[in-house]
Amino acid sequence: MHELSLCDAILGTTTKYADGRPVSQVTVRIGHLRQVVPDALRFGWELLTEPTDLKGCELVIEQIPATVECRECRAVTTLDLPILSCGTCGSFEVTLLTGEEFLIVALELAEVEA
Amino acid sequence: MGRVHLHADGTEHHHDHDHPASPEHDLAAGRDIGDHSGYAATGAVRVEILENLLSENDRVADANRDAFARAGVRTVNLMSSPGAGKTTLLKRTLRRLGSSVRIGVLEGDIATTLDADELEGVGATAIAVVNTSAGFGGECHLDAVMVRSGISRLPLHDLDLLVIENVGNLVCPAEFRVGEQAKAMVYAVTEGEEKPLKYPVMFRAVDVVVVNKIDLLPYLDFDLDTFLSNLRSVNPAARVIQASARTGEGVDEWCAWLSGSG
């Protein structure tokens, strides 16, 4: 949730790193456990960039699934739901490997005509 | 070359910049018609950032945490759904501990000072209120910036313990670090057994769950074992304290945890 204020944060960081240069694309990496809805994020991005120099800049969302490693049977499970248990033996003694990522990865500056 | 996208099923694919030949491309100086793969050919520059999306909040949360450490204040973020009993439990806590522990309270609410008013005169060393109605019309959680503003009005050096009573909400507060040492949840037995499964991120975030209103158990069909099993499935490590803020049962155990001594 809070996709709009997340977009505000993305906008701020993008503007800072772009340093006046035109941006064609911003990539974010978000794990499934961060409670972010991609459609809402894209919608918020369009809303916030509309009146700015970043209008038309594409927001690319890398969604990272939640995976856990079982401390008992060593199996790695990809989670469909945020229930942290081993898909092989059912144990709750698991270590979270991925799924909490929450980054602005990079931006791509627009091509500049020579 | 090109961009790599990771998909939820773990596969990745590459985007190449293929375009059909067109008059516009023919006119573009120095470009191969129909093939824009590779950054060198397109002139696009990638600027790597790799910053946390909430880096501003986290920066302020770290500063808050350092301020608490310098002042020697144990800080606890108290969360729950609306009506679970945070304020009533806090009132009991202040009465029980207030004479031996210097307790500050930071009250977070979207509107009103009702909770702070409720806590007046029962043993707090200081109370500050943060109404979150600034920004997008009233934030549903406290963030680090709001807490920083609140603690500027508290005499941190005169406190041993600070309780931040968050906005009643089982979703959002879990996502915002504010600089606290520990997180606690008040959960009422009237809320049923399945909430840990419905709000796993919140239940995963807390160190202790106070199962409150146990004085009402004779009038409810609440199955404590089912609730505990559901809680374990999302947070095996959470401490559970059964209590009634109304009768006082379990409050000693809660106070011991809260003050860091049990």
Side-chain angles (χ1 to χ4, degrees):
Chain A
M1 77 275 82
H2 305 116
E3 281 75 2
L4 206 55
S5 52
L6 287 182
C7 286
D8 202 38
I10 299 169
L11 190 60
T13 303
T14 301
T15 304
K16 181 174 85 176
Y17 279 83
D19 197 24
R21 301 169 290 181
V23 184
S24 61
Q25 181 181 289
V26 177
T27 302
V28 296
R29 182 175 302 151
I30 302 182
H32 281 181
L33 288 177
R34 300 313 295 240
Q35 306 194 106
V36 173
V37 180
D39 278 350
L41 201 63
R42 272 185 280 267
F43 178 67
W45 181 249
E46 279 175 32
L47 261 179
L48 284 188
T49 53
E50 168 73 29
T52 72
D53 289 338
L54 283 168
K55 177 178 173 173
C57 173
E58 187 193 355
L59 182 66
V60 174
I61 305 170
E62 291 177 4
Q63 296 181 66
I64 310 298
T67 59
V68 295
E69 180 174 2
C70 182
R71 290 195 286 274
E72 290 186 17
C73 78
R74 319 302 310 171
V76 174
T77 308
T78 301
L79 306 181
D80 295 318
L81 298 169
I83 308 293
L84 300 179
S85 64
C86 176
T88 302
C89 74
S91 168
F92 290 114
E93 298 295 314
V94 297
T95 308
L96 189 70
L97 298 177
T98 67
E100 291 194 318
E101 296 77 3
F102 207 49
L103 301 174
I104 301 176
V105 177
L107 55 87
E108 259 183 43
L109 302 175
E111 302 167 24
V112 177
E113 296 294 320
Chain B
M1 238 320 243
R3 296 192 292 279
V4 177
H5 286 182
L6 276 173
H7 289 273
D9 62 0
T11 60
E12 55 179 45
H13 67 269
H14 295 253
H15 282 291
D16 291 318
H17 297 248
D18 288 319
H19 296 285
S22 68
E24 292 76 33
H25 288 285
D26 292 342
L27 292 172
R31 291 208 181 111
D32 296 326
I33 295 167
D35 177 15
H36 288 201
S37 61
Y39 291 125
T42 58
V45 173
R46 177 182 165 95
V47 177
E48 203 163 71
I49 300 177
L50 292 175
E51 257 183 33
N52 189 299
L53 267 170
L54 284 176
S55 57
E56 181 59 23
N57 181 80
D58 287 354
R59 192 185 59 75
V60 176
D62 288 343
N64 292 343
R65 179 199 59 200
D66 294 343
F68 299 142
R70 278 194 305 273
V73 184
R74 173 172 161 82
T75 302
V76 174
N77 191 348
L78 186 63
M79 302 177 280
S80 80
S81 56
K86 293 186 296 301
T87 309
T88 307
L89 182 64
L90 257 183
K91 201 167 172 181
R92 269 275 178 185
T93 304
L94 290 169
R95 286 208 166 102
R96 188 73 61 88
L97 280 184
S99 52
S100 53
V101 180
R102 298 173 304 169
I103 306 175
V105 180
L106 203 163
E107 277 295 338
D109 262 310
I110 296 177
T112 83
T113 60
L114 288 168
D115 285 355
D117 299 341
E118 180 80 14
L119 297 175
E120 280 293 340
V122 293
T125 301
I127 303 176
V129 175
V130 175
N131 281 140
T132 70
S133 45
F136 295 131
E139 295 301 295
C140 43
H141 59 271
L142 288 177
D143 64 20
V145 172
M146 294 173 206
V147 167
R148 179 177 62 186
S149 154
I151 62 179
S152 70
R153 289 176 271 126
L154 287 171
L156 285 187
H157 288 272
D158 294 334
L159 301 179
D160 304 309
L161 173 67
L162 173 65
V163 180
I164 299 172
E165 190 182 340
N166 217 311
V167 178
N169 180 344
L170 275 191
V171 184
C172 319
E175 288 285 346
F176 295 89
R177 287 179 52 223
V178 297
E180 70 277 273
Q181 252 177 293
K183 290 185 172 76
M185 181 197 297
V186 179
Y187 185 84
V189 295
T190 45
E191 297 182 72
E193 300 89 358
E194 79 292 347
K195 295 304 182 293
L197 305 177
K198 290 190 176 182
Y199 302 94
V201 175
M202 167 62 84
F203 280 85
R204 216 168 85 77
V206 299
D207 302 298
V208 65
V209 176
V210 177
V211 179
N212 195 29
K213 307 193 183 181
I214 58 173
D215 54 303
L216 293 180
L217 283 175
Y219 310 103
L220 302 169
D221 293 328
F222 182 75
D223 186 325
L224 182 65
D225 288 333
T226 303
F227 169 75
L228 291 176
S229 163
N230 289 337
L231 175 61
R232 297 280 164 251
S233 71
V234 300
N235 188 343
R239 169 96 178 265
V240 174
I241 298 174
Q242 296 180 47
S244 164
R246 192 167 149 270
T247 66
E249 194 177 343
V251 173
D252 280 344
E253 195 186 343
W254 155 249
C255 286
W257 180 89
L258 184 63
S259 58
S261 62

